[in-house]
Amino acid sequence: MKKTRAVITGVQGWVPEYVLTNRELETMVDTNDEWIVTRTGIKERRILKGENQGTSVIGINAVKGLLKKTNTDPEDIDLIICATVTPDMPFPATANLIADGVGAKNSYSFDISAACSGFLYALTMGSQFIETGMHKKVIVVGADKMSSIIDYQDRATCIIFGDGGGAVLLEPTEEEVGVMDSLLHADGAGAPYLHMKAGGSRKPASIETVNAREHYAYQEGSTVFKFAVTNMAEVSAQVMERNNLKAEDVAWLVPHQANKRIIDATANRMGVGPEKVMLNIEKYGNTTAGTLPLCLWDYESQLKKGDNIILAAFGGGFTWGAIYLKWGYDPK
């Protein structure tokens, strides 16, 4: 019997209209365009504005576009998984809101919280539901409204993050394409270096926590940078080694868009040239769980069936990992 694999049969991204440039950030905090570009590679990022505009808005727009693009009836969707650290609310799950918003009446849905590695975790889990034969159509969403948890008085974090995300449709195939392998890690000892101090059950919201500005993302940049460079690069190399892939075999590296220097280090460790690296950090910044699907969406027209692709990410928690997939269709 041939092995059933989960293959991506469509990808769609969505970003808000409002563009927050480095020039505008210069009016908000003590920074400048040259400093930001040199250290991060970011020139602008998108911000979701307006009342009652949560991460579900990003997910709903991405999934609606995906369903239209793939000519898929929303009622045929079995499962929706949403990777996010900025849910609309603690409950219900943002995935539930997305399912309702797109008319996926026959699906169930849930969220995954793994920070910037969230899409890798969700894609791995979604592919397993397909491989076991339990489901035929699974949508995996990676989306975050990071502006909702960013302190725009903190120049260490506000220059990095933006809002946006994307979604992919997974379906079964017996061809040698799709999700081939994944290697995922987590280490909770990294929590002190990248976390949000208040708003959870350990430290519920209060006047004191709000006044202390503890409902924003906190990052110890230098420590996170060192861990990210080492682990994201190493896990990418490991997934290549265990699948007997050499640098020349890899068509594309899809790295988490956190920092241009981390991306360069990962590519160098893999031996992959810059022409094979998907890069859109300059226009979106770090959209956390949204970066990988946004890259696939931006580069979709350049992808060919059978392309060997490595997706890699590192996130708060710490979480990190890599996925090896073979692209499933030619440009349309």
Side-chain angles (χ1 to χ4, degrees), residues 5 124 178-183 238-239 242-243 322-325:
R5 299 187 186 278
T124 298
V179 177
M180 309 299 285
D181 192 17
S182 64
L183 189 56
Q238 287 173 355
V239 85
R242 73 187 209 171
N243 288 281
I323 287 177
Y324 163 41
L325 67 84

Side-chain angles (χ1 to χ4, degrees), residues 147-180:
S147 62
S148 66
I149 59 169
I150 294 301
D151 184 354
Y152 285 92
Q153 295 180 20
D154 176 16
R155 70 174 184 174
T157 55
C158 73
I159 65 170
I160 298 170
F161 295 96
D163 304 339
V168 298
L169 176 62
L170 291 175
E171 296 184 270
T173 183
E174 291 187 346
E175 294 185 70
E176 281 293 307
V177 293
V179 177
M180 309 299 285

Side-chain angles (χ1 to χ4, degrees), residues 257-283:
Q257 308 288 298
N259 182 298
K260 179 66 163 53
R261 291 181 293 168
I262 296 173
I263 293 170
D264 290 344
T266 302
N268 289 338
R269 174 69 176 84
M270 294 169 60
V272 172
E275 73 283 355
K276 292 184 175 183
V277 179
M278 292 190 189
L279 195 66
N280 60 14
I281 191 173
E282 74 283 352
K283 59 182 179 178

Side-chain angles (χ1 to χ4, degrees), residues 147-314:
S147 62
S148 66
I149 59 169
I150 294 301
D151 184 354
Y152 285 92
Q153 295 180 20
D154 176 16
R155 70 174 184 174
T157 55
C158 73
I159 65 170
I160 298 170
F161 295 96
D163 304 339
V168 298
L169 176 62
L170 291 175
E171 296 184 270
T173 183
E174 291 187 346
E175 294 185 70
E176 281 293 307
V177 293
V179 177
M180 309 299 285
D181 192 17
S182 64
L183 189 56
L184 305 175
H185 295 283
D187 183 358
Y193 309 110
L194 183 50
H195 64 278
M196 193 165 77
K197 297 180 184 299
S201 58
R202 178 186 292 190
K203 199 171 189 180
S206 66
I207 292 174
E208 289 75 22
T209 62
V210 172
N211 288 339
R213 309 183 74 81
E214 291 182 338
H215 293 266
Y216 298 118
Y218 167 81
Q219 176 172 278
E220 191 174 299
S222 60
T223 302
V224 173
F225 179 85
K226 291 173 185 175
F227 272 90
V229 166
T230 301
N231 290 313
M232 198 165 121
E234 188 60 29
V235 75
S236 300
Q238 287 173 355
V239 85
M240 285 175 62
E241 288 166 9
R242 73 187 209 171
N243 288 281
N244 298 312
L245 293 172
K246 296 181 172 58
E248 56 267 28
D249 300 323
V250 176
W252 294 98
L253 165 65
V254 189
H256 171 53
Q257 308 288 298
N259 182 298
K260 179 66 163 53
R261 291 181 293 168
I262 296 173
I263 293 170
D264 290 344
T266 302
N268 289 338
R269 174 69 176 84
M270 294 169 60
V272 172
E275 73 283 355
K276 292 184 175 183
V277 179
M278 292 190 189
L279 195 66
N280 60 14
I281 191 173
E282 74 283 352
K283 59 182 179 178
Y284 301 137
N286 182 350
T287 56
T288 304
T291 66
L292 298 181
L294 278 175
C295 274
L296 291 174
W297 176 53
D298 269 357
Y299 283 80
E300 182 187 19
S301 64
Q302 299 182 51
L303 304 180
K304 295 185 287 294
K305 186 174 182 178
D307 277 354
N308 290 319
I309 299 174
I310 304 293
L311 294 85
F314 180 91

